[in-house]
Amino acid sequence: QVHLQESGPGLVKPSETLSLICSVSGGSMSNYYWTWIRQPPGKGLEWIGHVYSSGRTNYKESLKSRLTISVDTSKQQFSLKLSSVTAADTAIYYCARGLYYDSSGTFDHWGRETLVTVSS
Amino acid sequence: QSVLTQPPSASGTPGQRVTISCSGSSSNIATNIVNWYQQLPGTAPKLLIFNNDRRPSGVPDRFSGSSSGTSASLAISGLQSEDEADYFCATWDDSLNGLMFGGGTTLTVL
């Protein structure tokens, strides 16, 4: 069974870089869209972006200038880096496995929630 | 504010049928597949319906989806207490070039 596990700091200072890693076990990373999604506490879901197993990326337009998502298939990991964070970036962050094609939005496996708080 | 509009809440009694709508536009629902996610309290979302009307293995056939024009809907028949959750629709938006989620609907089983 595929399992996704996020890791990273739960507290980040304003203007610094939020970094998370998602470790994938139980299956190959090939031919999937490895995705980050976030959810501000008590609010709805927001797609952040994804990286295909080949390394090709697609990002939410409003986050593009601050965002890097990368994959390391040899380590069975993919990562999120979001720079110059503000309180608006405080959210539960999920990693997820996307199926089929770039824009399908079909996520069949999700990591457990990771709360990241931006505060000094 | 999301480009996909869902009612913030819905409710029903056990055994009833409930429908949750997701309203979009020509740049999203009309031209792309819609998926539905169920989020139980304190847990990650779970894929409930994909490709408009397909159920992943393990999802009861009480759950069904449909899409027509610029709207999609999720129907839950034979409502059960364990169906209390938040439900989100999701689809790609060609104008915004990104995946969009609806604002979510909180379902209460009375």
Side-chain angles (χ1 to χ4, degrees):
Chain A
Q1 176 71 338
V2 174
H3 182 72
L4 282 69
Q5 177 70 57
E6 299 101 342
S7 58
L11 181 63
V12 182
K13 290 182 168 54
S15 80
E16 296 191 344
T17 296
L18 182 161
S19 296
L20 294 173
I21 290 174
C22 184
S23 299
V24 179
S25 59
S28 169
M29 294 192 75
S30 297
N31 304 316
Y32 293 106
Y33 296 88
W34 299 98
T35 305
W36 290 97
I37 292 163
R38 68 182 181 181
Q39 184 172 33
K43 297 190 177 180
L45 299 167
E46 178 186 21
W47 175 79
I48 296 171
H50 65 239
V51 58
Y52 188 58
S53 50
S54 65
R56 188 179 76 245
T57 56
N58 198 344
Y59 299 155
K60 184 180 177 79
E61 288 289 336
S62 61
L63 297 174
K64 262 183 181 176
S65 63
R66 301 193 288 131
L67 184 60
T68 302
I69 299 175
S70 59
V71 64
D72 186 338
T73 55
S74 66
K75 292 183 178 179
Q76 291 280 116
Q77 293 178 340
F78 65 106
S79 66
L80 164 75
K81 291 186 187 298
L82 184 65
S83 64
S84 305
V85 297
T86 69
D89 296 309
T90 293
I92 293 168
Y93 285 75
Y94 296 102
C95 57
R97 186 178 81 168
L99 304 179
Y100 305 133
Y101 53 90
D102 185 82
S103 56
S104 82
T106 309
F107 309 114
D108 66 337
H109 286 87
W110 294 64
R112 291 187 64 178
E113 52 185 50
T114 296
L115 175 62
V116 179
T117 301
V118 178
S119 175
S120 54
Chain B
Q1 191 152 349
S2 177
V3 298
L4 302 178
T5 302
Q6 296 181 236
S9 63
S11 63
T13 57
Q16 265 191 332
R17 184 176 187 272
V18 170
T19 300
I20 297 172
S21 63
C22 177
S23 177
S25 70
S26 59
S27 65
N28 44 63
I29 291 178
T31 50
N32 294 290
I33 63 167
V34 177
N35 302 307
W36 290 89
Y37 293 89
Q38 176 193 58
Q39 187 175 32
L40 298 171
T43 69
K46 168 191 166 185
L47 181 64
L48 195 65
I49 296 288
F50 69 100
N51 198 9
N52 299 328
D53 57 7
R54 308 250 337 246
R55 279 187 310 277
S57 173
V59 173
D61 59 6
R62 303 187 295 104
F63 295 91
S64 61
S66 64
S67 181
S68 179
T70 60
S71 292
S73 63
L74 171 71
I76 309 171
S77 60
L79 201 60
Q80 299 180 5
S81 58
E82 57 259 40
D83 298 334
E84 278 207 342
D86 291 329
Y87 293 85
F88 297 90
C89 59
T91 189
W92 192 263
D93 189 288
D94 295 326
S95 295
L96 298 173
N97 193 33
L99 184 75
M100 298 295 146
F101 287 94
T105 299
T106 298
L107 175 65
T108 301
V109 180
L110 303 169

